[in-house]
Coordinates of all heavy atoms in Angstrom, one line a residue:
I1 N 90.0 115.5 103.1 CA 91.0 116.2 102.1 C 92.3 116.5 102.8 O 93.4 116.2 102.2 CB 90.3 117.3 101.4 CG1 89.2 116.9 100.5 CG2 91.3 118.0 100.5 CD1 88.5 118.0 99.9
D2 N 92.1 117.2 103.8 CA 93.4 117.7 104.6 C 94.1 116.7 105.3 O 95.3 116.8 105.6 CB 92.9 118.8 105.6 CG 93.6 120.1 105.4 OD1 94.7 120.1 104.7 OD2 93.1 121.1 105.8
G3 N 93.5 115.5 105.5 CA 94.1 114.4 106.3 C 94.4 113.1 105.5 O 95.5 113.0 104.8
P4 N 93.4 112.1 105.6 CA 93.6 110.9 105.1 C 94.0 110.8 103.5 O 94.9 110.1 103.0 CB 92.4 110.2 105.3 CG 91.7 110.8 106.5 CD 92.2 112.2 106.4
L5 N 93.3 111.7 102.8 CA 93.6 111.7 101.3 C 94.9 112.3 101.0 O 95.5 111.8 100.1 CB 92.5 112.5 100.7 CG 92.5 112.5 99.1 CD1 92.4 111.1 98.6 CD2 91.4 113.3 98.5
W6 N 95.4 113.3 101.7 CA 96.7 113.8 101.6 C 97.8 112.7 101.8 O 98.7 112.5 101.0 CB 97.0 115.1 102.5 CG 98.4 115.4 102.6 CD1 99.2 115.1 103.7 CD2 99.4 115.9 101.7 NE1 100.4 115.6 103.6 CE2 100.6 116.0 102.3 CE3 99.2 116.2 100.3 CZ2 101.8 116.4 101.7 CZ3 100.3 116.7 99.6 CH2 101.5 116.7 100.3
Y7 N 97.6 111.9 102.9 CA 98.6 111.0 103.2 C 98.6 109.9 102.1 O 99.6 109.3 101.8 CB 98.4 110.4 104.6 CG 98.7 111.4 105.7 CD1 97.6 111.9 106.5 CD2 100.0 111.9 106.0 CE1 97.9 112.8 107.4 CE2 100.4 113.0 106.9 CZ 99.2 113.4 107.6 OH 99.5 114.4 108.5
F8 N 97.4 109.3 101.7 CA 97.2 108.3 100.9 C 97.9 108.8 99.5 O 98.7 108.0 98.9 CB 95.8 108.2 100.5 CG 95.5 107.0 99.4 CD1 95.6 105.7 99.7 CD2 95.0 107.5 98.2 CE1 95.5 104.8 98.6 CE2 94.7 106.6 97.3 CZ 95.0 105.2 97.5
S9 N 97.5 110.0 99.0 CA 98.1 110.4 97.8 C 99.6 110.6 97.7 O 100.3 110.3 96.8 CB 97.4 111.8 97.3 OG 97.7 112.8 98.2
S10 N 100.1 111.0 98.9 CA 101.6 111.1 99.1 C 102.3 109.8 99.0 O 103.3 109.6 98.4 CB 101.9 111.8 100.4 OG 101.4 113.1 100.4
I11 N 101.7 108.7 99.7 CA 102.2 107.4 99.7 C 102.2 106.8 98.3 O 103.2 106.2 97.7 CB 101.4 106.5 100.6 CG1 101.7 107.0 102.1 CG2 101.8 105.1 100.5 CD1 100.9 106.2 103.2
V12 N 101.0 107.0 97.5 CA 101.0 106.4 96.2 C 102.0 107.1 95.3 O 102.6 106.4 94.5 CB 99.6 106.7 95.6 CG1 99.5 106.4 94.2 CG2 98.6 105.9 96.3
F13 N 102.2 108.4 95.5 CA 103.2 109.2 94.7 C 104.6 108.6 94.9 O 105.3 108.3 94.0 CB 103.0 110.6 95.0 CG 104.2 111.4 94.3 CD1 104.1 111.8 93.0 CD2 105.3 111.8 95.1 CE1 105.1 112.5 92.4 CE2 106.3 112.6 94.5 CZ 106.2 112.9 93.2
V14 N 104.9 108.6 96.2 CA 106.4 108.1 96.5 C 106.5 106.6 96.1 O 107.5 106.4 95.5 CB 106.6 108.3 98.0 CG1 108.0 107.6 98.3 CG2 106.5 109.8 98.3
L15 N 105.6 105.7 96.4 CA 105.8 104.4 96.0 C 105.7 104.1 94.5 O 106.5 103.4 93.9 CB 104.7 103.5 96.8 CG 104.8 103.4 98.3 CD1 103.7 102.5 98.8 CD2 106.1 102.8 98.6
G16 N 104.9 104.8 93.9 CA 104.8 104.7 92.4 C 106.0 105.3 91.8 O 106.5 104.6 90.8
V17 N 106.5 106.3 92.1 CA 107.8 106.9 91.5 C 109.0 105.9 91.8 O 109.8 105.5 90.8 CB 108.2 108.2 92.0 CG1 109.5 108.7 91.6 CG2 107.0 109.3 91.6
V18 N 109.0 105.4 93.0 CA 110.2 104.6 93.3 C 110.1 103.3 92.5 O 111.0 102.7 92.0 CB 110.1 104.1 94.8 CG1 111.2 103.1 95.1 CG2 110.5 105.4 95.6
Y19 N 108.8 102.7 92.3 CA 108.6 101.4 91.6 C 109.0 101.6 90.1 O 109.6 100.8 89.6 CB 107.1 101.0 91.6 CG 106.8 99.9 90.8 CD1 107.1 98.6 91.1 CD2 106.1 100.2 89.7 CE1 106.9 97.5 90.2 CE2 105.8 99.1 88.7 CZ 106.1 97.7 89.1 OH 105.9 96.8 88.3
R20 N 108.5 102.8 89.6 CA 108.8 103.0 88.2 C 110.3 103.2 88.0 O 110.8 102.6 87.0 CB 108.2 104.3 87.6 CG 106.7 104.4 87.6 CD 106.2 103.4 86.4 NE 106.7 103.9 85.1 CZ 106.1 105.0 84.4 NH1 104.9 105.5 84.8 NH2 106.6 105.4 83.3
I21 N 111.0 103.8 88.8 CA 112.5 104.0 88.6 C 113.2 102.7 88.9 O 114.1 102.3 88.2 CB 113.0 105.0 89.7 CG1 112.5 106.5 89.3 CG2 114.5 105.1 89.8 CD1 112.8 107.6 90.3
F22 N 112.8 101.9 89.9 CA 113.3 100.5 90.1 C 113.1 99.6 88.9 O 114.0 98.9 88.6 CB 112.6 100.0 91.4 CG 113.2 98.5 91.7 CD1 114.4 98.3 92.2 CD2 112.4 97.5 91.4 CE1 114.8 97.0 92.5 CE2 112.7 96.1 91.7 CZ 114.0 96.0 92.2
S23 N 111.9 99.8 88.2 CA 111.7 98.9 87.0 C 112.6 99.2 85.9 O 113.0 98.3 85.3 CB 110.2 99.1 86.6 OG 109.3 98.7 87.6
I24 N 112.9 100.6 85.9 CA 114.0 100.9 84.8 C 115.3 100.4 85.1 O 116.0 100.0 84.2 CB 113.9 102.6 84.7 CG1 112.6 103.1 84.1 CG2 115.0 103.0 83.8 CD1 112.6 104.6 84.2
M25 N 115.7 100.5 86.3 CA 117.0 100.2 86.7 C 117.1 98.5 86.7 O 118.2 98.1 86.3 CB 117.4 100.7 88.1 CG 117.4 102.1 88.1 SD 117.9 102.8 89.8 CE 119.6 102.3 89.8
K26 N 116.1 97.9 87.0 CA 116.0 96.5 86.9 C 116.1 95.9 85.6 O 116.5 94.7 85.4 CB 114.9 96.0 87.8 CG 114.8 94.5 88.0 CD 113.7 94.0 88.8 CE 113.6 92.5 89.0 NZ 112.4 92.0 89.6
S27 N 115.6 96.6 84.6 CA 115.5 96.1 83.1 C 116.9 95.6 82.7 O 116.9 94.7 81.8 CB 114.9 97.1 82.3 OG 115.7 98.2 82.2

């Protein structure tokens, strides 16, 4: 929980937010 899952969830959060914003701007 303190290590791999924290880094994994942080990466999913950042990439997911960037992708959603990019999709809006690309539309």
Side-chain angles (χ1 to χ4, degrees):
I1 295 174
D2 239 338
L5 187 57
W6 161 250
Y7 293 111
F8 174 75
S9 61
S10 300
I11 292 172
V12 172
F13 173 79
V14 172
L15 293 181
V17 169
V18 171
Y19 173 76
R20 290 288 301 275
I21 293 176
F22 177 75
S23 299
I24 292 173
M25 299 181 68
K26 187 181 177 181
S27 61

